[in-house]
Amino acid sequence: MKDLPHARESAASTPPAIALRDVSKVFELETGETLTAVSDLSLTIEPGEFVCVLGPSGHGKSTLLNLVAGFLEPDAGSVEAHGDPVKGPGPDRGVIFQRDTLFLWKRVRDNIEYGMKVRGVPKAERTAKADELMEAVGLTKFASSWPRQLSGGMRRRAAIAAVFANEPPVLLMDEPFVGLDYARRAVLHDVVTSLWSRENNTIFFVTHDIDEALALATRVLVVANGSVVYDVSVDLPRPRGTDTLNGPEALEIRKSILRHLDEAMAVEEERFTPAG
Ligand SMILES: Nc1ncnc2c1ncn2[C@@H]1O[C@H](COP(=O)(O)OP(=O)(O)OP(=O)(O)O)[C@@H](O)[C@H]1O
Ligand SMILES: [Mg+2]
């Protein structure tokens, strides 16, 4: 029988948004020792999932995110996005870091339109999309402001709008709201969840804040010693107000996450290999 790759492809289900198979990443330390930052890790994330990653400091969360972003190459195993091998950073995977990534010499609107401009999106379409996003993040009146004229939280919102403007199917966020006050965080949580539910992206979100994870995630991973040590779905109703987040279901999930975090801290596995 004739091979029909296309027919087979269309019959198959959508590939995972992110798929890691037996991935390891080893770093050489200044002492000459090596450190296994990500250890034989396998993970599949389906399109539309909002995955929050918790875990002790220095245990591989950012390394994992950087492997998916394509900023790092694995030493073993494979990393795929939408069924294709990750060969480097790409517009299909938007990244939002802790630090601001706005162009300081561009006004808010131009920052948001920049990615679309590079992709050749016509002016009228760019303007409409930027207007819509500025409204979503509450920056309409600051369209012509320079980044230095915004507060930290406003810059973060502008940066989020700029990344969402590129409509990346996958969004990678590494502690994006660290250092912001409670109210600002709550606003940004609403912004991100409403953009996520509208655009239906897949989000991979690293945080140290268990409350933040419970407010946002459809699934929480605990990463420790370079491995996923706990993987739990968070099936709480939205919007997740105080009642939901303090309800029995949320408290149960929180307890099990905390237990795994405690265990992870207790079992500091030997990740270091002596030199030579
Ligand atoms: N470029 C690098 N070169 C050498 N070692 C690195 C590099 N990047 C990360 N590491 C090491 O890999 C380990 C995991 O780091 P990673 O940044 O992934 O941790 P993390 O879980 O994100 O921690 P945190 O919560 O503190 O951000 C750490 O011990 C770190 O020192
Ligand atoms: Mg980190």
Side-chain angles (χ1 to χ4, degrees):
M1 208 172 95
K2 233 175 129 187
D3 196 13
L4 293 171
H6 295 297
R8 214 174 42 224
E9 240 170 58
S10 60
S13 55
T14 325
I18 298 168
L20 294 99
R21 277 181 219 98
D22 308 319
V23 170
S24 294
K25 181 71 196 174
V26 178
F27 290 116
E28 190 162 326
L29 304 182
E30 298 301 319
T31 57
E33 292 164 292
T34 57
L35 164 67
T36 305
V38 171
S39 175
D40 207 16
L41 185 148
S42 295
L43 171 68
T44 304
I45 298 175
E46 298 301 335
E49 283 194 86
F50 196 136
V51 177
C52 284
V53 183
L54 293 161
S57 174
H59 277 231
K61 301 179 299 297
S62 296
T63 305
L64 186 56
L65 184 142
N66 286 321
L67 286 162
V68 176
F71 297 137
L72 290 174
E73 264 184 64
D75 293 302
S78 66
V79 182
E80 289 181 0
H82 331 288
D84 296 321
V86 166
K87 295 202 176 104
D92 60 315
R93 284 153 290 131
V95 187
I96 300 177
F97 293 106
Q98 246 176 57
R99 58 172 197 274
D100 287 321
T101 45
L102 295 172
F103 299 119
L104 298 177
W105 59 94
K106 287 184 191 290
R107 295 175 193 272
V108 168
R109 169 183 296 286
D110 298 326
N111 263 290
I112 296 173
E113 287 190 23
Y114 175 77
M116 293 187 275
K117 201 170 172 183
V118 169
R119 291 202 323 276
V121 175
K123 177 70 190 156
E125 201 179 311
R126 259 167 27 213
T127 306
K129 181 86 186 173
D131 283 344
E132 189 190 314
L133 281 163
M134 283 187 291
E135 171 140 24
V137 300
L139 287 177
T140 303
K141 290 196 188 303
F142 296 89
S144 302
S145 298
W146 302 98
R148 65 178 156 76
Q149 297 173 309
L150 307 181
S151 75
M154 288 159 80
R155 275 201 297 275
R156 224 64 72 88
R157 278 184 273 155
I160 289 168
V163 173
F164 270 95
N166 296 323
E167 300 177 10
V170 170
L171 264 153
L172 307 168
M173 305 172 81
D174 198 350
E175 302 188 48
F177 306 144
V178 115
L180 296 178
D181 64 63
Y182 178 82
R184 248 179 269 269
R185 271 183 175 224
V187 169
L188 289 167
H189 290 165
D190 286 347
V191 166
V192 169
T193 38
S194 68
L195 289 173
W196 163 72
S197 55
R198 200 181 66 186
E199 309 271 331
N200 205 27
N201 334 59
T202 309
I203 302 190
F204 186 92
F205 188 111
V206 176
T207 176
H208 277 288
D209 184 342
I210 190 164
D211 289 318
E212 180 162 70
L214 288 173
L216 297 173
T218 59
R219 176 181 178 194
V220 169
L221 306 177
V222 175
V223 167
N225 292 304
S227 302
V228 176
V229 296
Y230 190 50
D231 185 344
V232 62
S233 32
V234 182
D235 198 11
L236 301 170
R238 290 178 200 270
R240 294 177 180 168
T242 328
D243 287 346
T244 305
L245 292 171
N246 289 311
E249 207 182 329
L251 291 178
E252 209 44 52
I253 302 173
R254 159 196 289 275
K255 256 199 277 180
S256 62
I257 293 172
L258 281 172
R259 201 177 57 241
H260 284 87
L261 283 169
D262 281 346
E263 278 172 19
M265 298 295 275
V267 195
E268 175 85 20
E269 275 170 28
E270 201 42 85
R271 293 180 296 150
F272 301 96
T273 312

